[in-house]
Amino acid sequence: MAVQPTNLPKTLTLESYIDQKQLGNLPEKGRHIIGQFDDDSIVVYQAYSPAIANYAVEHQQFGGPNFSFDRMSWVKTSFAWMQYRCGWNTKPKQERTLAVRIKREAFDYIVSIAIGSRFIEEFHGTKENYEKIKKQSEVRRQWDPDYVPNLEFKRLERRAIQLGLRGSILRRYATEWIVSIEDITPYVEEMRQRLQDTKDPISLWVPVERVYKEEKEVVYK
């Protein structure tokens, strides 16, 4: 079994990647909201520059001179998808990974008002109506391929959700709905080094993730 990380996150529960695979708690296919959650909260991930991350950790909310409330901010519940996006914190302005624990009722509300990134006639009627709804919406929903955590990521058939927030929803997320913010970059860097050394995800410890909602439980708009 892989050795437990030295840089253990304080707000996340981890398990070995081997255990995650053997337990089989994550589906191989389909669209699912997967993540780490308890009765009151769920973890979302974001990657930012050091300046934004430092402010967020110090104040336990987002803001400061480097954070913009005028652009869409994306959150992800899948740790592997986050690391795929930020390249294990090697991409510019994504050098720090934050584990942001938010209230479940807030997350459920965000999901309930999200508008999909693609026009679907069954739900939107006409493209004109869809564009009108999308323009007015403050939450965008995308189902993106999830990944096996590695340096060269292997795409899975399973799709993971990411949610784009703007306007009043972004401000409420950033300043009202957060339970805790932890900078987990030391842990991420340790896992990245293991992958560089072994070239194999079985060396990893990853956040415990389970199915939070299946696609059929997500209200489509």
Side-chain angles (χ1 to χ4, degrees), residues 7-214:
N7 298 294
L8 284 171
K10 296 178 181 178
T11 59
L12 292 176
T13 303
L14 304 183
E15 64 184 350
S16 71
Y17 181 69
I18 295 174
D19 284 346
Q20 186 184 84
K21 293 294 290 181
Q22 290 179 342
L23 289 171
N25 289 315
L26 295 179
E28 296 292 327
K29 302 178 180 180
R31 297 178 175 184
H32 309 272
I33 301 177
I34 66 166
Q36 183 163 136
F37 55 91
D38 56 28
D39 291 342
D40 303 309
S41 62
I42 183 170
V43 176
V44 298
Y45 300 98
Q46 294 191 276
Y48 281 114
S49 67
I52 292 176
N54 288 340
Y55 181 98
V57 172
E58 179 181 352
H59 295 86
Q60 289 296 290
Q61 65 178 32
F62 291 101
N66 298 287
F67 186 86
S68 176
F69 284 101
D70 297 324
R71 57 180 295 182
M72 185 165 278
S73 183
W74 292 86
V75 302
K76 304 152 184 68
T77 60
S78 165
F79 174 78
W81 203 101
M82 181 73 262
Q83 297 316 311
Y84 164 77
R85 181 68 181 83
C86 72
W88 297 94
N89 290 140
T90 61
K91 295 183 179 180
K93 297 183 179 181
Q94 298 185 69
E95 299 93 341
R96 305 277 281 276
T97 295
L98 301 180
V100 184
R101 188 173 289 274
I102 67 170
K103 299 173 184 177
R104 274 185 69 160
E105 60 186 21
F107 181 80
D108 290 343
Y109 176 65
I110 290 169
V111 172
S112 74
I113 63 172
I115 301 300
S117 295
R118 292 172 50 249
F119 165 70
I120 301 176
E121 186 175 1
E122 178 183 356
F123 302 111
H124 305 129
T126 65
K127 289 186 177 180
E128 292 76 14
N129 184 54
Y130 169 66
E131 291 301 325
K132 179 181 178 180
I133 295 171
K134 186 170 71 170
K135 186 176 181 179
Q136 294 172 342
S137 172
E138 292 189 321
V139 182
R140 194 73 49 81
R141 178 190 62 247
Q142 288 186 187
W143 294 104
D144 296 302
D146 210 352
Y147 290 86
V148 173
N150 210 332
L151 294 178
E152 296 183 3
F153 286 82
K154 177 184 177 183
R155 181 178 291 192
L156 297 171
E157 292 186 56
R158 180 179 71 236
R159 296 247 168 183
I161 201 168
Q162 70 165 330
L163 298 159
L165 317 179
R166 66 180 179 183
S168 65
I169 295 298
L170 174 58
R171 191 168 292 276
R172 294 186 71 187
Y173 160 76
T175 63
E176 297 179 27
W177 293 337
I178 291 171
V179 176
S180 67
I181 302 177
E182 182 181 6
D183 184 348
I184 61 170
T185 306
Y187 152 70
V188 170
E189 291 176 341
E190 183 177 347
M191 295 302 98
R192 184 180 74 217
Q193 186 60 54
R194 288 191 184 189
L195 290 173
Q196 290 172 343
D197 293 341
T198 68
K199 307 294 190 296
D200 195 328
I202 66 170
S203 64
L204 299 179
W205 278 64
V206 294
V208 173
E209 293 179 343
R210 303 292 183 262
V211 174
Y212 182 75
K213 286 180 183 288
E214 296 181 9

